[in-house]
Amino acid sequence: AGGYPNTGRYPSQAEFDGYLFGAAELAAFAMAYTVEGKAEDARSSLAWPSKTIAEDLKGFPTSIVRVDECDPLRDEGCEFYRSLLDAGVSARLHITGGATHAAFMYPGMDDMAAEAYDELKAFVLRTTPPGP
């Protein structure tokens, strides 16, 4: 993110352009992560995982990164996962085969949604210390 239209860095942006949304929509969505279009926001690792460096990720908790196979943002999510590992963060990557962006939220995708929520619930229970 932070670099739309596709610059060639993430092949999935071109491969799945138009699956649910395209480059124009991605550029518009990207504006939600900036304050009045300020250039520094477009470079912030707080908004754009692709802008992170190992130092940004030091101390990150155990993480799970979920991406969808047919999502223009897939490669960016996979890169973020690799960045977490490079920074020494315990992380897991899950790629939902055949799915488009956030497909588990769509009507008729109950099985996919149940699987996603069950996986996330198990992850949280496994990685969160018990309360008082």
Side-chain angles (χ1 to χ4, degrees):
Y4 300 109
N6 184 22
T7 61
R9 180 174 175 185
Y10 303 113
S12 62
Q13 285 183 13
E15 185 178 0
F16 300 110
D17 186 36
Y19 281 55
L20 183 62
F21 50 80
E25 289 85 6
L26 287 173
F29 297 155
M31 292 306 296
Y33 294 93
T34 63
V35 177
E36 299 174 10
K38 290 183 180 177
E40 62 268 17
D41 291 338
R43 294 186 297 273
S44 171
S45 63
L46 295 174
W48 306 110
S50 62
K51 307 295 184 188
T52 58
I53 58 173
E55 186 176 307
D56 296 329
L57 301 172
K58 294 291 184 199
F60 245 57
T62 299
S63 301
I64 187 167
V65 176
R66 289 187 60 94
V67 297
D68 297 313
E69 179 184 17
C70 302
D71 186 343
L73 302 176
R74 180 199 65 211
D75 294 341
E76 190 172 358
C78 292
E79 180 184 76
F80 181 64
Y81 165 74
R82 288 187 297 276
S83 295
L84 288 166
L85 295 179
D86 290 347
V89 176
S90 176
R92 179 167 186 262
L93 175 66
H94 177 98
I95 300 173
T96 304
T100 61
H101 186 80
F104 68 91
M105 297 183 347
Y106 307 144
M109 303 303 273
D110 297 340
D111 291 343
M112 187 182 294
E115 178 187 330
Y117 290 124
D118 287 347
E119 179 189 27
L120 292 172
K121 178 181 175 183
F123 172 80
V124 169
L125 291 173
R126 188 173 59 252
T127 60
T128 303

